[in-house]
Amino acid sequence: MSASRTVPRAETVGSLLRPPALRAMFPQVYAGHKTPSPRLLDAAGLERLAELERRADTAVADVVRRQIDIGLDVITDGEMRRASFTHSLVDALGGFEDSDVEFAFTNEQGEEMVPPSGPLVGAQRVSKVANPALDEARFVRTLTDHPLKVTFPAPSYWYCEPVDLAKGAYSSQREFVEEVVAIQRELLAEVVAAGVRHVQMDWPAYVMAIDPKWRDHLPGTEGLALGELMDELIAVDNAVIADLPADVTTALHVCRGNYRSMWMTEGSLEPIAEQLFGDLRYDRLLVEWDDTAREGDFDTLRHVPAGGPIVVMGVVSSKSTTVESADDVQRRLEEAARYVPVEQLAISPQCGFASTWEGNELAEESQWRKLEVVVEVADRVWGRG
């Protein structure tokens, strides 16, 4: 495959389906825990985790080669080592406890499913104890020098996660989020110092703010008008990337939730579009837009300022088993280009293929075919210059 484009036009969001043997190890490693965190494991669990890491080395090498062969401009390690997309940060921190807090996901049939809980912040303040994203990047660099993207959860996501204020470690949700921002800036600085030039934040809390079903799941923000809430959420997401070197490309993925082909939030971005596209300081915004019935029409793109961020159109589903046709995907890009110059667009799947270790409900080969469609459309629209 020819070299990557100077401006990336075809990429994956982050996670890829784990191979069956690797996938089977996660419930063995974290048996007995509601929250899959290495900091909660005993000696036997840590031994199983070491074996998982060895198997992940092979899986990462396979998906790195496949992404390059397909022709993606920017690759990831597939998040093969992570129990969840959040674990570039969760696994970096000490101080978490097992949690009972649950979030329900919905599929196309209207059925709901509740995944394993996220971590609980309780009696201890969190602290940096590792940098798994740095370890991921260093391993990929032993395999290739192809442009590499490393992903983290967006700081505003942590407004959704439980903090037991009664235990006294933090006086407010905001105080916890501010500490997360400080730690994550340190993690990012180490990743960038190791040579990574593409970093991405995932699942900002904005989409929960516009969905009435989820608006009350942002503790510490009660009473804020939508515009005020967005100002607060955007501020922490901008703060985490402040002062990164100019040659680092920053991206933010506007996620709707992704668990075994299910989603969490619905609603048009229209109520927050001016702030989303105008106030964020990211170079690229990856936006889920595979289902306009749930996510709103493309006319929201009229709020993207000229010379503003590149909008990476997530118009290829990572949830559905159906492989989209390149012609249909290209037509959707042409529709988006009615509102934003094509030079300010790019293309990706709508989300990761396996935001948690279980993965979405589609075959690995369908995943790769979908990524081939992404590359084919990018080549048609932008060429390889």
Side-chain angles (χ1 to χ4, degrees):
M1 178 59 67
S2 54
S4 299
R5 283 166 274 258
T6 304
V7 177
R9 302 294 183 181
E11 63 184 294
T12 187
V13 169
S15 64
L16 298 168
L17 293 168
R18 283 76 161 167
L22 179 61
R23 191 165 61 241
M25 287 212 65
F26 282 91
Q28 298 173 27
V29 170
Y30 296 108
H33 293 284
K34 298 175 182 177
T35 301
S37 169
R39 311 305 154 207
L40 303 176
L41 297 178
D42 59 15
L46 291 173
E47 286 184 11
R48 290 190 291 268
L49 180 61
E51 175 59 26
L52 186 152
E53 290 281 353
R54 287 189 287 271
R55 294 191 185 188
D57 286 348
T58 300
V60 170
D62 288 344
V63 299
V64 163
R65 175 189 54 79
R66 192 76 181 264
Q67 289 174 88
I68 295 171
D69 288 348
I70 284 174
L72 292 173
D73 296 318
V74 180
I75 64 169
T76 73
D77 78 335
E79 301 177 6
M80 292 285 136
R81 306 174 195 279
R82 304 185 193 180
S84 165
F85 78 98
T86 62
H87 281 231
S88 51
L89 184 61
V90 171
D91 292 356
L93 300 178
F96 286 131
E97 301 175 8
D98 265 333
S99 170
D100 291 317
V101 176
E102 297 178 338
F103 296 108
F105 286 70
T106 306
N107 65 14
E108 292 180 348
Q109 291 74 44
E111 300 165 334
E112 290 191 346
M113 181 179 294
V114 177
S117 302
L120 172 71
V121 180
Q124 300 181 56
R125 297 181 73 93
V126 295
S127 59
K128 175 177 176 278
V129 295
N131 191 342
L134 177 61
D135 296 336
E136 292 171 356
R138 284 173 169 165
F139 181 75
V140 174
R141 279 291 164 256
T142 69
L143 305 171
T144 181
D145 59 0
H146 196 89
L148 168 67
K149 177 171 68 176
V150 171
T151 63
F152 290 89
S156 65
Y157 163 83
W158 296 96
Y159 274 97
C160 311
E161 286 294 344
V163 177
D164 189 343
L165 299 179
K167 292 188 175 180
Y170 295 96
S171 62
S172 67
Q173 190 86 17
R174 178 182 294 182
E175 182 188 5
F176 164 65
V177 172
E178 289 174 348
E179 181 146 54
V180 167
V181 169
I183 294 171
Q184 198 158 334
R185 281 172 58 87
E186 184 178 347
L187 298 173
L188 271 171
E190 291 173 359
V191 166
V192 168
V196 174
R197 285 300 175 266
H198 295 264
V199 296
Q200 178 180 297
M201 304 295 128
D202 286 325
W203 202 2
Y206 322 142
V207 290
M208 299 186 79
I210 59 174
D211 187 334
K213 179 180 178 181
W214 294 106
R215 172 60 184 88
D216 293 337
H217 287 74
L218 296 170
T221 68
E222 299 85 352
L224 292 179
L226 180 58
E228 296 172 320
L229 173 59
M230 282 296 295
D231 284 342
E232 184 162 328
L233 300 178
I234 286 174
V236 296
D237 288 338
N238 281 339
V240 79
I241 60 166
D243 306 320
L244 287 178
D247 65 341
V248 174
T249 297
T250 57
L252 184 142
H253 172 229
V254 182
C255 180
R256 302 285 186 145
N258 188 43
Y259 176 67
R260 300 181 69 173
S261 293
M262 298 184 175
W263 63 86
M264 277 181 60
T265 66
E266 302 182 6
S268 169
L269 296 174
E270 183 65 28
I272 61 172
E274 289 189 46
Q275 289 169 286
L276 176 72
F277 294 122
D279 295 345
L280 284 164
R281 296 295 173 255
Y282 287 76
D283 301 310
R284 301 168 69 83
L285 299 179
L286 289 79
V287 183
E288 292 201 13
W289 246 319
D290 64 309
D291 185 346
T292 54
R294 284 192 292 109
E295 299 152 354
D297 296 329
F298 291 171
D299 60 358
T300 304
L301 288 167
R302 72 187 186 280
H303 296 290
V304 178
I310 287 179
V311 179
V312 185
M313 299 294 296
V315 292
V316 173
S317 174
S318 66
K319 295 176 169 64
S320 168
T321 59
T322 302
V323 177
E324 295 82 350
S325 78
D327 289 343
D328 287 345
V329 172
Q330 184 172 353
R331 278 191 288 270
R332 300 202 71 196
L333 268 184
E334 290 167 351
E335 181 184 348
R338 292 168 49 198
Y339 305 98
V340 179
V342 71
E343 294 79 13
Q344 223 170 310
L345 295 173
I347 183 174
S348 74
Q350 44 92 207
C351 197
F353 289 92
S355 296
T356 64
W357 63 265
E358 297 96 330
N360 285 346
E361 305 295 327
L362 74 165
E364 284 188 56
E365 200 50 42
S366 296
Q367 164 189 266
W368 296 117
R369 281 289 300 120
K370 286 170 178 280
L371 290 173
E372 288 170 354
V373 169
V374 166
V375 172
E376 180 179 348
V377 173
D379 287 350
R380 290 182 186 182
V381 175
W382 293 283
R384 278 274 161 184

Short mmCIF file of all heavy atoms in Angstrom, two decimals, residues 206 230 234 252 254 269-270 272-289 297-313 340 344-345:
data_model
loop_
_atom_site.label_atom_id
_atom_site.label_comp_id
_atom_site.label_asym_id
_atom_site.label_seq_id
_atom_site.Cartn_x
_atom_site.Cartn_y
_atom_site.Cartn_z
N TYR A 206 -20.70 15.33 26.47
CA TYR A 206 -21.65 16.23 25.83
C TYR A 206 -22.95 15.52 25.42
O TYR A 206 -24.04 16.09 25.54
CB TYR A 206 -21.05 16.88 24.58
CG TYR A 206 -19.60 17.25 24.67
CD1 TYR A 206 -18.75 17.10 23.58
CD2 TYR A 206 -19.05 17.77 25.85
CE1 TYR A 206 -17.42 17.43 23.65
CE2 TYR A 206 -17.71 18.11 25.93
CZ TYR A 206 -16.90 17.93 24.82
OH TYR A 206 -15.58 18.26 24.89
N MET A 230 -22.00 22.87 29.08
CA MET A 230 -21.06 22.64 27.98
C MET A 230 -19.78 23.43 28.17
O MET A 230 -18.68 22.93 27.89
CB MET A 230 -21.72 23.00 26.64
CG MET A 230 -22.69 21.95 26.12
SD MET A 230 -21.86 20.38 25.73
CE MET A 230 -20.80 20.90 24.37
N ILE A 234 -16.34 21.39 28.15
CA ILE A 234 -15.36 21.73 27.12
C ILE A 234 -14.07 22.25 27.75
O ILE A 234 -12.96 21.97 27.27
CB ILE A 234 -15.95 22.74 26.12
CG1 ILE A 234 -16.95 22.04 25.20
CG2 ILE A 234 -14.85 23.42 25.29
CD1 ILE A 234 -17.71 22.98 24.27
N LEU A 252 -10.75 14.34 19.06
CA LEU A 252 -11.75 14.00 20.07
C LEU A 252 -12.89 13.26 19.39
O LEU A 252 -13.40 13.72 18.36
CB LEU A 252 -12.24 15.26 20.77
CG LEU A 252 -13.23 15.04 21.92
CD1 LEU A 252 -12.96 16.02 23.05
CD2 LEU A 252 -14.67 15.19 21.46
N VAL A 254 -16.61 12.02 19.44
CA VAL A 254 -17.92 12.27 20.04
C VAL A 254 -18.72 10.97 19.97
O VAL A 254 -19.37 10.65 18.98
CB VAL A 254 -18.65 13.42 19.32
CG1 VAL A 254 -20.00 13.70 20.00
CG2 VAL A 254 -17.78 14.67 19.32
N LEU A 269 -27.07 16.82 17.69
CA LEU A 269 -26.05 17.71 18.27
C LEU A 269 -26.42 19.18 18.12
O LEU A 269 -25.70 20.04 18.63
CB LEU A 269 -24.70 17.46 17.59
CG LEU A 269 -24.06 16.08 17.78
CD1 LEU A 269 -22.81 15.96 16.93
CD2 LEU A 269 -23.73 15.83 19.25
N GLU A 270 -27.52 19.48 17.46
CA GLU A 270 -27.89 20.87 17.16
C GLU A 270 -27.86 21.78 18.39
O GLU A 270 -27.32 22.90 18.32
CB GLU A 270 -29.27 20.91 16.51
CG GLU A 270 -29.74 22.30 16.10
CD GLU A 270 -28.90 22.92 14.99
OE1 GLU A 270 -28.32 22.18 14.18
OE2 GLU A 270 -28.80 24.17 14.96
N ILE A 272 -26.00 21.92 20.88
CA ILE A 272 -24.64 22.22 21.38
C ILE A 272 -23.64 22.42 20.25
O ILE A 272 -22.45 22.56 20.50
CB ILE A 272 -24.13 21.08 22.30
CG1 ILE A 272 -24.05 19.75 21.53
CG2 ILE A 272 -25.02 20.95 23.54
CD1 ILE A 272 -23.37 18.63 22.31
N ALA A 273 -24.13 22.47 19.02
CA ALA A 273 -23.22 22.44 17.86
C ALA A 273 -22.27 23.63 17.80
O ALA A 273 -21.09 23.47 17.46
CB ALA A 273 -24.03 22.34 16.57
N GLU A 274 -22.77 24.82 18.11
CA GLU A 274 -21.89 25.99 18.02
C GLU A 274 -20.73 25.87 19.01
O GLU A 274 -19.58 26.20 18.67
CB GLU A 274 -22.68 27.27 18.28
CG GLU A 274 -23.63 27.63 17.13
CD GLU A 274 -24.23 29.01 17.31
OE1 GLU A 274 -23.47 29.96 17.64
OE2 GLU A 274 -25.45 29.14 17.13
N GLN A 275 -21.00 25.41 20.22
CA GLN A 275 -19.93 25.24 21.20
C GLN A 275 -19.03 24.06 20.83
O GLN A 275 -17.81 24.14 20.94
CB GLN A 275 -20.53 25.02 22.59
CG GLN A 275 -21.17 26.27 23.19
CD GLN A 275 -21.97 25.95 24.43
OE1 GLN A 275 -23.06 25.39 24.35
NE2 GLN A 275 -21.45 26.31 25.59
N LEU A 276 -19.64 22.97 20.38
CA LEU A 276 -18.88 21.78 20.01
C LEU A 276 -17.87 22.08 18.91
O LEU A 276 -16.68 21.76 19.02
CB LEU A 276 -19.84 20.67 19.58
CG LEU A 276 -19.22 19.37 19.07
CD1 LEU A 276 -18.61 18.59 20.22
CD2 LEU A 276 -20.27 18.52 18.35
N PHE A 277 -18.33 22.68 17.85
CA PHE A 277 -17.46 22.91 16.69
C PHE A 277 -16.65 24.20 16.80
O PHE A 277 -15.63 24.35 16.12
CB PHE A 277 -18.29 22.94 15.40
CG PHE A 277 -18.93 21.62 15.06
CD1 PHE A 277 -20.31 21.53 14.92
CD2 PHE A 277 -18.16 20.49 14.87
CE1 PHE A 277 -20.91 20.31 14.59
CE2 PHE A 277 -18.75 19.27 14.56
CZ PHE A 277 -20.13 19.18 14.42
N GLY A 278 -17.09 25.11 17.66
CA GLY A 278 -16.42 26.40 17.73
C GLY A 278 -15.50 26.60 18.91
O GLY A 278 -14.54 27.38 18.83
N ASP A 279 -15.78 25.92 20.04
CA ASP A 279 -15.02 26.18 21.26
C ASP A 279 -13.96 25.13 21.59
O ASP A 279 -13.02 25.41 22.34
CB ASP A 279 -15.97 26.31 22.45
CG ASP A 279 -16.89 27.52 22.34
OD1 ASP A 279 -16.60 28.40 21.50
OD2 ASP A 279 -17.89 27.57 23.08
N LEU A 280 -14.11 23.94 21.07
CA LEU A 280 -13.09 22.91 21.30
C LEU A 280 -11.82 23.27 20.54
O LEU A 280 -11.88 23.81 19.43
CB LEU A 280 -13.60 21.54 20.86
CG LEU A 280 -14.59 20.87 21.82
CD1 LEU A 280 -15.32 19.73 21.13
CD2 LEU A 280 -13.88 20.37 23.08
N ARG A 281 -10.68 22.95 21.10
CA ARG A 281 -9.38 23.31 20.51
C ARG A 281 -8.67 22.09 19.92
O ARG A 281 -7.44 22.03 19.90
CB ARG A 281 -8.50 24.00 21.56
CG ARG A 281 -9.09 25.33 22.04
CD ARG A 281 -9.13 26.35 20.91
NE ARG A 281 -9.82 27.58 21.27
CZ ARG A 281 -11.03 27.91 20.86
NH1 ARG A 281 -11.70 27.09 20.05
NH2 ARG A 281 -11.58 29.05 21.20
N TYR A 282 -9.43 21.17 19.40
CA TYR A 282 -8.88 19.96 18.81
C TYR A 282 -8.74 20.13 17.29
O TYR A 282 -9.54 20.83 16.66
CB TYR A 282 -9.78 18.76 19.12
CG TYR A 282 -9.68 18.31 20.56
CD1 TYR A 282 -10.31 19.02 21.58
CD2 TYR A 282 -8.93 17.20 20.93
CE1 TYR A 282 -10.21 18.63 22.91
CE2 TYR A 282 -8.82 16.80 22.26
CZ TYR A 282 -9.47 17.53 23.24
OH TYR A 282 -9.35 17.14 24.55
N ASP A 283 -7.75 19.45 16.73
CA ASP A 283 -7.55 19.51 15.29
C ASP A 283 -8.59 18.71 14.53
O ASP A 283 -8.95 19.05 13.40
CB ASP A 283 -6.16 18.96 14.93
CG ASP A 283 -5.04 19.72 15.60
OD1 ASP A 283 -5.03 20.96 15.52
OD2 ASP A 283 -4.17 19.07 16.23
N ARG A 284 -9.08 17.62 15.16
CA ARG A 284 -10.00 16.71 14.48
C ARG A 284 -11.11 16.31 15.45
O ARG A 284 -10.84 16.01 16.62
CB ARG A 284 -9.26 15.45 14.00
CG ARG A 284 -8.12 15.75 13.04
CD ARG A 284 -7.22 14.55 12.80
NE ARG A 284 -7.85 13.49 12.04
CZ ARG A 284 -7.95 13.45 10.73
NH1 ARG A 284 -7.46 14.45 10.01
NH2 ARG A 284 -8.52 12.43 10.11
N LEU A 285 -12.33 16.30 14.95
CA LEU A 285 -13.48 15.82 15.72
C LEU A 285 -14.08 14.63 14.99
O LEU A 285 -14.57 14.77 13.86
CB LEU A 285 -14.53 16.93 15.89
CG LEU A 285 -14.08 18.19 16.62
CD1 LEU A 285 -15.22 19.21 16.68
CD2 LEU A 285 -13.58 17.88 18.02
N LEU A 286 -14.02 13.46 15.62
CA LEU A 286 -14.60 12.25 15.05
C LEU A 286 -16.03 12.15 15.58
O LEU A 286 -16.25 12.02 16.78
CB LEU A 286 -13.80 11.02 15.44
CG LEU A 286 -12.42 10.84 14.79
CD1 LEU A 286 -11.38 11.72 15.48
CD2 LEU A 286 -11.97 9.39 14.85
N VAL A 287 -17.01 12.23 14.67
CA VAL A 287 -18.41 12.33 15.07
C VAL A 287 -19.18 11.11 14.57
O VAL A 287 -19.13 10.78 13.38
CB VAL A 287 -19.05 13.62 14.52
CG1 VAL A 287 -20.50 13.74 15.01
CG2 VAL A 287 -18.25 14.85 14.97
N GLU A 288 -19.91 10.47 15.48
CA GLU A 288 -20.75 9.33 15.10
C GLU A 288 -21.93 9.83 14.29
O GLU A 288 -22.73 10.64 14.77
CB GLU A 288 -21.25 8.60 16.35
CG GLU A 288 -20.17 7.89 17.12
CD GLU A 288 -20.72 6.80 18.02
OE1 GLU A 288 -21.90 6.42 17.86
OE2 GLU A 288 -19.96 6.31 18.87
N TRP A 289 -22.07 9.29 13.05
CA TRP A 289 -23.16 9.72 12.19
C TRP A 289 -23.60 8.58 11.28
O TRP A 289 -23.93 8.77 10.12
CB TRP A 289 -22.77 10.94 11.37
CG TRP A 289 -23.56 12.16 11.73
CD1 TRP A 289 -24.90 12.21 12.00
CD2 TRP A 289 -23.07 13.50 11.87
NE1 TRP A 289 -25.27 13.50 12.31
CE2 TRP A 289 -24.17 14.31 12.24
CE3 TRP A 289 -21.82 14.09 11.73
CZ2 TRP A 289 -24.05 15.69 12.45
CZ3 TRP A 289 -21.71 15.44 11.94
CH2 TRP A 289 -22.81 16.23 12.29
N ASP A 297 -29.48 15.08 11.68
CA ASP A 297 -29.07 15.25 10.29
C ASP A 297 -27.72 15.96 10.17
O ASP A 297 -27.24 16.59 11.12
CB ASP A 297 -30.13 16.05 9.53
CG ASP A 297 -31.46 15.33 9.45
OD1 ASP A 297 -31.44 14.08 9.43
OD2 ASP A 297 -32.51 16.00 9.42
N PHE A 298 -27.17 15.88 8.96
CA PHE A 298 -25.87 16.50 8.69
C PHE A 298 -25.94 18.03 8.69
O PHE A 298 -24.89 18.69 8.71
CB PHE A 298 -25.33 16.04 7.34
CG PHE A 298 -24.91 14.59 7.29
CD1 PHE A 298 -24.58 14.00 6.08
CD2 PHE A 298 -24.84 13.82 8.44
CE1 PHE A 298 -24.19 12.67 6.02
CE2 PHE A 298 -24.46 12.50 8.40
CZ PHE A 298 -24.13 11.92 7.18
N ASP A 299 -27.14 18.62 8.66
CA ASP A 299 -27.19 20.08 8.57
C ASP A 299 -26.59 20.75 9.81
O ASP A 299 -26.26 21.94 9.78
CB ASP A 299 -28.61 20.58 8.31
CG ASP A 299 -29.60 20.20 9.40
OD1 ASP A 299 -29.22 19.50 10.36
OD2 ASP A 299 -30.78 20.59 9.27
N THR A 300 -26.39 19.98 10.89
CA THR A 300 -25.68 20.51 12.05
C THR A 300 -24.26 20.95 11.68
O THR A 300 -23.67 21.81 12.35
CB THR A 300 -25.64 19.44 13.17
OG1 THR A 300 -26.97 19.04 13.46
CG2 THR A 300 -24.99 19.97 14.42
N LEU A 301 -23.73 20.38 10.61
CA LEU A 301 -22.37 20.72 10.17
C LEU A 301 -22.25 22.18 9.73
O LEU A 301 -21.13 22.69 9.58
CB LEU A 301 -21.96 19.81 9.01
CG LEU A 301 -21.65 18.35 9.37
CD1 LEU A 301 -21.58 17.50 8.11
CD2 LEU A 301 -20.36 18.25 10.17
N ARG A 302 -23.38 22.86 9.51
CA ARG A 302 -23.28 24.27 9.12
C ARG A 302 -22.63 25.13 10.20
O ARG A 302 -22.19 26.25 9.95
CB ARG A 302 -24.67 24.82 8.79
CG ARG A 302 -25.58 25.02 9.99
CD ARG A 302 -27.00 25.40 9.59
NE ARG A 302 -27.84 25.72 10.73
CZ ARG A 302 -28.43 24.84 11.52
NH1 ARG A 302 -28.26 23.52 11.28
NH2 ARG A 302 -29.18 25.22 12.53
N HIS A 303 -22.54 24.59 11.43
CA HIS A 303 -21.91 25.32 12.52
C HIS A 303 -20.39 25.16 12.56
O HIS A 303 -19.74 25.78 13.40
CB HIS A 303 -22.49 24.85 13.85
CG HIS A 303 -23.96 25.13 14.02
ND1 HIS A 303 -24.46 26.40 14.19
CD2 HIS A 303 -25.03 24.28 14.02
CE1 HIS A 303 -25.78 26.34 14.31
NE2 HIS A 303 -26.15 25.07 14.21
N VAL A 304 -19.84 24.31 11.69
CA VAL A 304 -18.39 24.13 11.66
C VAL A 304 -17.75 25.38 11.05
O VAL A 304 -18.05 25.73 9.91
CB VAL A 304 -17.99 22.88 10.85
CG1 VAL A 304 -16.47 22.74 10.79
CG2 VAL A 304 -18.63 21.64 11.44
N PRO A 305 -16.88 26.07 11.77
CA PRO A 305 -16.30 27.31 11.22
C PRO A 305 -15.30 27.02 10.10
O PRO A 305 -14.59 26.00 10.12
CB PRO A 305 -15.61 27.94 12.42
CG PRO A 305 -15.32 26.81 13.34
CD PRO A 305 -16.42 25.81 13.14
N ALA A 306 -15.23 27.92 9.14
CA ALA A 306 -14.22 27.80 8.08
C ALA A 306 -12.84 27.84 8.72
O ALA A 306 -12.57 28.68 9.59
CB ALA A 306 -14.38 28.94 7.08
N GLY A 307 -11.99 26.91 8.31
CA GLY A 307 -10.67 26.83 8.89
C GLY A 307 -10.64 26.20 10.26
O GLY A 307 -9.61 26.17 10.92
N GLY A 308 -11.79 25.68 10.71
CA GLY A 308 -11.89 25.04 12.00
C GLY A 308 -11.42 23.59 11.94
O GLY A 308 -10.64 23.21 11.06
N PRO A 309 -11.91 22.76 12.85
CA PRO A 309 -11.43 21.37 12.90
C PRO A 309 -11.83 20.57 11.68
O PRO A 309 -12.85 20.87 11.02
CB PRO A 309 -12.12 20.82 14.16
CG PRO A 309 -13.37 21.64 14.28
CD PRO A 309 -12.97 23.02 13.84
N ILE A 310 -11.04 19.56 11.38
CA ILE A 310 -11.47 18.55 10.40
C ILE A 310 -12.51 17.67 11.08
O ILE A 310 -12.31 17.20 12.20
CB ILE A 310 -10.28 17.71 9.91
CG1 ILE A 310 -9.40 18.55 8.98
CG2 ILE A 310 -10.74 16.43 9.21
CD1 ILE A 310 -8.19 17.84 8.46
N VAL A 311 -13.64 17.47 10.43
CA VAL A 311 -14.70 16.63 10.96
C VAL A 311 -14.57 15.25 10.31
O VAL A 311 -14.70 15.12 9.09
CB VAL A 311 -16.09 17.23 10.69
CG1 VAL A 311 -17.18 16.30 11.25
CG2 VAL A 311 -16.20 18.61 11.32
N VAL A 312 -14.29 14.27 11.12
CA VAL A 312 -14.14 12.89 10.64
C VAL A 312 -15.51 12.23 10.73
O VAL A 312 -16.02 12.00 11.83
CB VAL A 312 -13.09 12.12 11.46
CG1 VAL A 312 -12.86 10.74 10.87
CG2 VAL A 312 -11.78 12.90 11.51
N MET A 313 -16.11 11.98 9.58
CA MET A 313 -17.48 11.51 9.52
C MET A 313 -17.54 10.02 9.83
O MET A 313 -17.06 9.18 9.06
CB MET A 313 -18.07 11.79 8.14
CG MET A 313 -18.12 13.27 7.77
SD MET A 313 -19.26 14.22 8.82
CE MET A 313 -20.82 13.47 8.38
N VAL A 340 -19.82 21.55 4.68
CA VAL A 340 -18.41 21.73 5.06
C VAL A 340 -17.55 21.42 3.83
O VAL A 340 -17.80 20.41 3.16
CB VAL A 340 -18.01 20.79 6.22
CG1 VAL A 340 -16.55 20.98 6.59
CG2 VAL A 340 -18.89 21.03 7.44
N GLN A 344 -12.17 19.80 4.63
CA GLN A 344 -12.32 19.85 6.07
C GLN A 344 -13.05 18.60 6.59
O GLN A 344 -13.54 18.58 7.71
CB GLN A 344 -13.09 21.11 6.48
CG GLN A 344 -12.51 21.83 7.69
CD GLN A 344 -13.15 23.17 7.91
OE1 GLN A 344 -13.27 23.98 6.99
NE2 GLN A 344 -13.57 23.43 9.15
N LEU A 345 -13.04 17.54 5.76
CA LEU A 345 -13.70 16.30 6.13
C LEU A 345 -12.72 15.14 6.06
O LEU A 345 -11.67 15.23 5.40
CB LEU A 345 -14.89 16.01 5.20
CG LEU A 345 -16.07 16.98 5.25
CD1 LEU A 345 -17.07 16.65 4.14
CD2 LEU A 345 -16.75 16.93 6.62
#
